[in-house]
Amino acid sequence: MKKVIILGHENPDVDSMVSGVLLEKLLNRRNLGINFKFVIPDRVIDDESVKVCKKYGLDVRKYQDEIDFNNSSLKYILVDHHKREVAGQIVGVIDHHPALEEVYNIEYYTNTKASSTSCLIVQKNESEFTKEELTLAMLAAFFDTASFHSTKARKKDFIWIKKWSKKFSINWQDLYQDGLAITPEMSISKLAVNGLKKYNFNNMLIESSYIQIIDVDKKEDKIKAILDFLSEYLIKKELDCFIFIVHDMAKFKSTVYQIDKTGIKVRKYNSYASRGTTIMPDIYDDFKN
């Protein structure tokens, strides 16, 4: 039987992992003559993401396994991202981060605006999932949109959640509280790379992380310590730029610190700004100009 690996992005978040699991279940249930296998090659997964998934019945650690990315015979479906450096063939993409640099030479390619990749996978296929799996899809949507306060949130997806949570007696208010995902206390070095993502824009190496906190005014010293750490991290990693985002979860506003070798540029948003939908496109526009 042919085999296709389902692969989420590096340093996977809740939506990346839930989407991979749900797509594996959906495709294998359709008996297509192909063995679809979701794999998390990351040796370390964010503890908070692991905990919240386990709370809703999903042990993501059992999907951790090694992948030989130099094996040209492997085939992949990417979920929650649309570009990946692999020797094998990327045969499918399901993503919700339309970007400046799209990929069009892939047979099955979907990259459209949605609250989460899980929404794209589950919606219109609800009859093929259990109540528990639909709950996971809703959880991923809440997490990926800061409980629908993010600029990436889509009203139609929240309407979908209310409709199906009512039908299956799912308490979406609990999912809302978990989806706020306040960043827990941890060391400066861990806070500095929380939710780390890597980008390559016109051969510029960029990384980005974020924290979500309530008492922003009381955390000024900690934020400064993080920025000092990242200024050194930038040099050590030979990056062109580092984007550090502070989400104020009391006011639902975002502050972006754009760090490069010349210093730090601050950008403020009067809303919870999505990294993929709002912040990074704005950063790219600056680079182009």
Side-chain angles (χ1 to χ4, degrees):
M1 181 180 287
K2 295 179 180 178
K3 178 180 176 181
V4 174
I5 295 172
I6 299 172
L7 188 62
H9 57 69
E10 293 181 80
N11 192 24
D13 55 17
V14 172
D15 185 39
S16 177
M17 294 186 288
V18 167
S19 296
V21 171
L22 295 182
L23 186 63
E24 177 192 277
K25 293 180 180 296
L26 177 67
L27 295 179
N28 284 329
R29 286 168 182 166
R30 290 180 174 179
N31 297 316
L32 301 173
I34 300 172
N35 177 24
F36 295 94
K37 183 180 181 182
F38 174 53
V39 178
I40 301 175
D42 303 64
R43 292 185 178 182
V44 179
I45 311 175
D46 173 64
D47 286 339
E48 294 304 310
S49 297
V50 171
K51 287 178 184 177
V52 76
C53 286
K54 197 166 186 178
K55 177 180 176 180
Y56 289 90
L58 174 61
D59 182 4
V60 294
R61 293 197 189 277
K62 73 177 186 179
Y63 292 93
Q64 285 181 286
D65 200 358
E66 293 184 356
I67 298 176
D68 180 5
F69 288 113
N70 294 316
N71 186 340
S72 60
S73 68
L74 297 180
K75 294 186 177 182
Y76 302 90
I77 296 176
L78 306 183
V79 293
D80 206 29
H81 65 312
H82 59 275
K83 294 181 69 176
R84 189 75 171 240
E85 294 296 327
V86 295
Q89 182 184 3
I90 298 173
V91 297
V93 165
I94 303 177
D95 192 13
H96 70 127
H97 300 102
L100 299 176
E101 300 175 348
E102 289 290 358
V103 182
Y104 297 104
N105 60 342
I106 296 173
E107 187 173 0
Y108 302 101
Y109 187 91
T110 297
N111 192 4
T112 185
K113 290 182 178 181
S115 300
S116 65
T117 302
S118 61
C119 285
L120 295 176
I121 292 170
V122 170
Q123 288 176 12
K124 297 182 180 180
N125 299 310
E126 291 89 352
S127 63
E128 299 183 69
F129 292 99
T130 66
K131 173 183 175 179
E132 291 73 22
E133 291 162 357
L134 289 175
T135 302
L136 284 169
M138 295 175 189
L139 175 71
F142 277 112
F143 255 80
D144 229 39
T145 61
S147 292
F148 286 82
H149 293 285
S150 169
T151 51
K152 81 165 72 167
R154 295 289 176 264
K155 183 178 180 180
K156 67 180 182 66
D157 295 323
F158 187 59
I159 293 172
W160 173 81
I161 286 175
K162 292 181 73 174
K163 172 186 174 182
W164 286 91
S165 61
K166 182 178 181 180
K167 184 172 182 177
F168 284 95
S169 299
I170 298 169
N171 189 337
W172 66 262
Q173 289 88 351
D174 287 345
L175 297 170
Y176 173 93
Q177 290 300 323
D178 286 329
L180 291 175
I182 305 302
T183 305
E185 291 293 332
M186 60 181 86
S187 67
I188 295 298
S189 60
K190 287 186 177 181
L191 287 171
V193 293
N194 182 66
L196 186 71
K197 283 193 176 183
K198 300 177 182 180
Y199 305 86
N200 188 322
F201 178 69
N202 289 344
N203 295 319
M204 293 183 66
L205 298 179
I206 306 169
E207 292 187 10
S208 172
S209 61
Y210 71 91
I211 57 174
Q212 301 191 159
I213 53 180
I214 294 176
D215 48 350
V216 173
D217 294 338
K218 296 179 181 179
K219 297 291 179 65
E220 290 182 357
D221 289 344
K222 183 164 288 187
I223 292 171
K224 183 181 183 303
I226 293 171
L227 295 174
D228 289 342
F229 176 91
L230 288 174
S231 294
E232 295 181 8
Y233 177 94
L234 175 104
I235 296 171
K236 290 179 182 178
K237 294 289 186 177
E238 298 182 340
L239 302 176
D240 293 292
C241 182
F242 195 101
I243 307 300
F244 180 65
I245 307 162
V246 177
H247 294 301
D248 183 336
M249 301 304 287
K251 299 178 182 178
F252 295 106
K253 296 182 179 182
S254 302
T255 300
V256 177
Y257 298 91
Q258 182 176 328
I259 308 164
D260 60 29
K261 294 173 184 177
T262 66
I264 300 175
K265 177 181 176 181
V266 180
R267 185 192 307 259
K268 293 183 178 291
Y269 293 86
N270 286 321
S271 60
Y272 182 108
S274 162
R275 175 163 54 178
T277 302
T278 303
I279 294 172
M280 293 311 298
D282 286 349
I283 299 295
Y284 290 161
D285 283 342
D286 278 359
F287 289 151
K288 286 194 302 182
N289 297 329

